[in-house]
Amino acid sequence: MAFPPLIELRGISKRFGGVRALDNVSMTIDRAQIRCLAGENGSGKSTLIKIMSGVYQPDAGEILIDGKAMDQLDPAISIGQGVQVIYQDLSLFPTLKVVENLFLNTFLRERQKIVNWRRGREMAREVLDRLDVDLDLDATVETLPAAGRQIVAIARAVLAEARLIIMDEPTTALTGREVARLFRIVRDLQQQGIAILFVSHKMREMLEISEALTVFRNGRKVAEGPIGEFDERAITRAMTGRDLNTGHFTAPAFDPQATPRLLLEGVSVGDSVHDVSLRLMPGEVVGLSGLIGAGRTRLAKAIFGLRQDVTGRMEVDGRPLAPASVSDAIRAGVAYVPEDRLSEGLFLNRSIRDNAISAAMDRYAPRLWLNHMRARSETGKMFRDMQIAAPGTEVPVSTLSGGNQQRVVIGRWLMTDARLLILNGPTVGVDVGSKEQIHSIIHGLAHDKGLAVLMISDDLPELAANCNRVFTMEDGRLTGEFSGDALTEEALETALASVTRKETA
């Protein structure tokens, strides 16, 4: 006799005010199935996850678990039925140890009054062995790399006797090697009978890890089927409703005698970056890639005045650059978009306008009084130029999708009349449609305004498609330069794979 699906959603609808977040959506997840849920930001994925986990109640529709209709589903009931969600922030206790993060929920669920440390360590070690990974149980979670924190979150879900683990954008902060290890763990969990709902923007990952795919657009299910029925183009078309321009950027010609927009000669940063020399010309987009810890972000922060332990020669437009502060770097025409826009790049509870003018307050409030007319006018122009989808510039940035938040961060720095834009992970956590639009905006600015762009990214297709040249970096040193016909995704993969082999040798 065939078993019913582990979880089945029938005709689920959900409204928030006048916005229909989900419209008559149905989906099933079978036991030990790996299903991917795809869609652009705002398509309804997060709402569906919260309905499955009991955080939201649907306005219409039915939820069945093991074939039994759930009259009322709250978070406690959902967890009791074996549904575990690993959100992007992982919801861990950063100042507690690995072992404490792993057993704490179990002890609370059992209403234990006294902590049995020996049992807790045994449970922790057992679940890590089950995942075939080795972590220091006494390490504080905040000291772990992103991949280590991800493993702690997965192990905690397994300890809670999960039958379905929902992973929301689990690879956002992971390197290629770490993604491969995560996929190995996911397949091991499948062999142990655990189903996985994998929520992602990354099409190649969907095609690699999934058995089945469901695609949302504007709150509706628009495509579904075995993964073999899809390719990248079909997924893109389903997510966006159109074919996107994914062709390679055509590099402009540069006068070799012209003054570089950015010149670095023999630049070192502390003991982490060594003897870096490169040039960026006006209108050029140059990529920088390497494994986490290669020194890319430290180099970017040195150019932006966030590191003072810098030696060597730096120039912008032929003028010496030795910023003692971020303000010095901004005055020199340098702008920096950090990888983590939520914690480093935005004031989430403030409006688009407040975020937009924050990088150049001396321009909009030269005498401590805000020039509201100028702020509104220039923010409005940035709002239109960056194609931000929002009711207006007074809405809080926290209400925007990831792609629109990233547009605000980039647009804010362009309001400083930047001549050099450093983008650290420019499209991390951004859906495929927004990614294409952001790339198009960047190229337009480079071509029309002569903006030089240093693009730091782990997304090799992004670098290969959008850059004039790409440098690879290892242990704080530049190790290769790719341009012209030699600049291909395969060449970059080969260069970075050689670094991985050295590390694992």
Side-chain angles (χ1 to χ4, degrees):
M1 185 177 78
F3 289 103
L6 174 60
I7 189 166
E8 182 177 2
L9 309 174
R10 295 178 179 174
I12 298 295
S13 294
K14 180 68 177 178
R15 277 185 177 274
F16 296 97
V19 178
R20 184 181 289 275
L22 291 173
D23 185 6
N24 194 31
V25 168
S26 298
M27 184 178 73
T28 62
I29 302 174
D30 293 325
R31 289 166 173 76
Q33 182 184 49
I34 302 176
R35 176 176 290 273
C36 187
L37 178 60
E40 292 194 280
N41 292 328
S43 63
K45 304 188 304 296
S46 295
T47 301
L48 187 77
I49 290 172
K50 290 180 178 178
I51 286 175
M52 293 172 67
S53 60
V55 175
Y56 292 160
Q57 301 302 313
D59 298 330
E62 189 176 25
I63 303 172
L64 292 83
I65 298 180
D66 295 326
K68 179 182 177 182
M70 298 284 107
D71 296 329
Q72 182 74 19
L73 192 64
D74 61 26
I77 294 173
S78 178
I79 290 170
Q81 293 291 331
V83 178
Q84 288 281 325
V85 183
I86 301 176
Y87 293 103
Q88 291 186 51
D89 64 4
L90 303 180
S91 301
L92 299 172
F93 299 99
T95 59
L96 296 184
K97 297 177 181 179
V98 169
V99 64
E100 293 166 336
N101 272 272
L102 290 178
F103 74 65
L104 182 60
N105 283 352
T106 300
F107 278 26
L108 291 174
R109 187 170 61 250
E110 295 175 351
R111 300 181 184 276
Q112 298 289 330
K113 295 182 179 180
I114 299 176
V115 175
N116 185 333
W117 289 98
R118 180 175 178 179
R119 179 181 171 226
R121 295 185 75 85
E122 289 174 351
M123 290 166 50
R125 180 54 58 200
E126 181 181 341
V127 72
L128 292 177
D129 288 344
R130 184 174 167 183
L131 297 178
D132 193 25
V133 295
D134 184 28
L135 283 180
D136 180 0
L137 294 181
D138 294 312
T140 305
V141 163
E142 65 185 356
T143 66
L144 298 178
R149 296 194 297 272
Q150 185 76 251
I151 290 169
V152 173
I154 294 171
R156 186 177 62 182
V158 174
L159 267 179
E161 300 179 353
R163 298 192 298 154
L164 167 64
I165 299 179
I166 302 171
M167 298 183 178
D168 188 10
E169 297 289 347
T171 64
T172 296
L174 304 186
T175 65
R177 182 179 53 182
E178 291 166 343
V179 170
R181 180 167 70 164
L182 174 64
F183 284 2
R184 192 267 302 164
I185 291 173
V186 165
R187 293 187 180 101
D188 287 348
L189 293 173
Q190 181 186 31
Q191 292 299 314
Q192 297 172 32
I194 297 174
I196 305 292
L197 181 62
F198 194 87
V199 183
S200 179
H201 291 133
K202 300 180 180 180
M203 289 176 288
R204 295 189 182 189
E205 293 179 359
M206 302 176 201
L207 294 169
E208 179 179 349
I209 193 62
S210 303
E211 298 175 311
L213 175 67
T214 302
V215 183
F216 284 4
R217 186 171 73 243
N218 298 328
R220 291 177 175 268
K221 182 176 72 175
V222 295
E224 187 173 62
I227 198 65
E229 295 179 358
F230 295 89
D231 57 18
E232 289 189 39
R233 185 174 182 180
I235 297 172
T236 298
R237 190 183 306 115
M239 289 172 62
T240 65
R242 66 189 191 279
D243 288 319
L244 300 183
N245 176 23
T246 56
H248 284 244
F249 168 60
T250 302
F254 296 102
D255 179 358
Q257 303 303 316
T259 301
R261 178 68 24 107
L262 173 69
L263 172 67
L264 303 181
E265 286 189 349
V267 171
S268 297
V269 184
D271 58 0
S272 57
V273 175
H274 313 286
D275 196 30
V276 169
S277 297
L278 59 82
R279 295 178 173 220
L280 270 73
M281 305 302 292
E284 190 176 24
V285 181
V286 171
L288 184 60
S289 192
L291 301 181
I292 290 177
R296 303 168 304 170
T297 297
R298 292 184 180 92
L299 179 63
K301 288 184 174 181
I303 300 170
F304 192 56
L306 289 168
R307 296 289 297 252
Q308 302 308 312
D309 51 346
V310 184
T311 59
R313 180 183 173 197
M314 298 194 296
E315 292 182 358
V316 171
D317 290 334
R319 293 186 291 273
L321 174 68
S325 66
V326 169
S327 297
D328 287 348
I330 293 172
R331 282 190 288 270
V334 182
Y336 174 56
V337 176
E339 184 173 20
D340 188 346
R341 60 178 172 269
L342 298 183
S343 65
E344 297 181 77
L346 292 167
F347 303 101
L348 290 173
N349 294 324
R350 306 295 295 185
S351 67
I352 293 174
R353 191 193 69 164
D354 289 348
N355 274 271
I357 65 176
S358 63
M361 287 302 295
D362 56 346
R363 176 174 177 169
Y364 300 103
R367 295 178 179 85
L368 301 181
W369 295 99
L370 179 63
N371 186 331
H372 290 278
M373 184 176 295
R374 184 176 187 182
R376 278 195 297 269
S377 173
E378 296 192 13
T379 300
K381 183 179 185 303
M382 182 277 289
F383 183 86
R384 294 186 295 273
D385 289 346
M386 297 302 296
Q387 304 171 35
I388 297 169
T393 60
E394 298 303 318
V395 301
V397 168
S398 60
T399 65
L400 304 181
S401 69
N404 285 300
Q405 288 178 346
Q406 191 73 337
R407 289 182 177 91
V408 172
V409 179
I410 296 172
R412 173 180 67 193
W413 287 114
L414 297 177
M415 289 173 64
T416 67
D417 296 325
R419 299 188 295 279
L420 167 67
L421 177 62
I422 304 172
L423 297 171
N424 196 349
T427 57
V428 169
V430 172
D431 62 65
V432 62
S434 294
K435 180 181 288 190
E436 183 212 31
Q437 291 174 335
I438 288 172
H439 290 159
S440 177
I441 290 168
I442 291 169
H443 290 310
L445 293 166
H447 180 270
D448 298 337
K449 296 187 176 183
L451 185 74
V453 179
L454 180 62
M455 182 182 291
I456 302 171
S457 180
D458 297 317
D459 188 337
L460 301 186
E462 175 175 59
L463 294 176
N466 289 282
C467 297
N468 304 83
R469 296 176 288 141
V470 175
F471 291 90
T472 54
M473 197 168 186
E474 176 190 352
D475 294 332
R477 300 181 186 276
L478 298 184
T479 55
E481 180 181 354
F482 300 82
S483 61
D485 293 340
L487 175 50
T488 65
E489 183 184 341
E490 292 74 19
L492 296 175
E493 285 179 347
T494 299
L496 295 179
S498 67
V499 176
T500 302
R501 284 194 296 270
K502 290 178 188 176
E503 288 191 351
T504 57

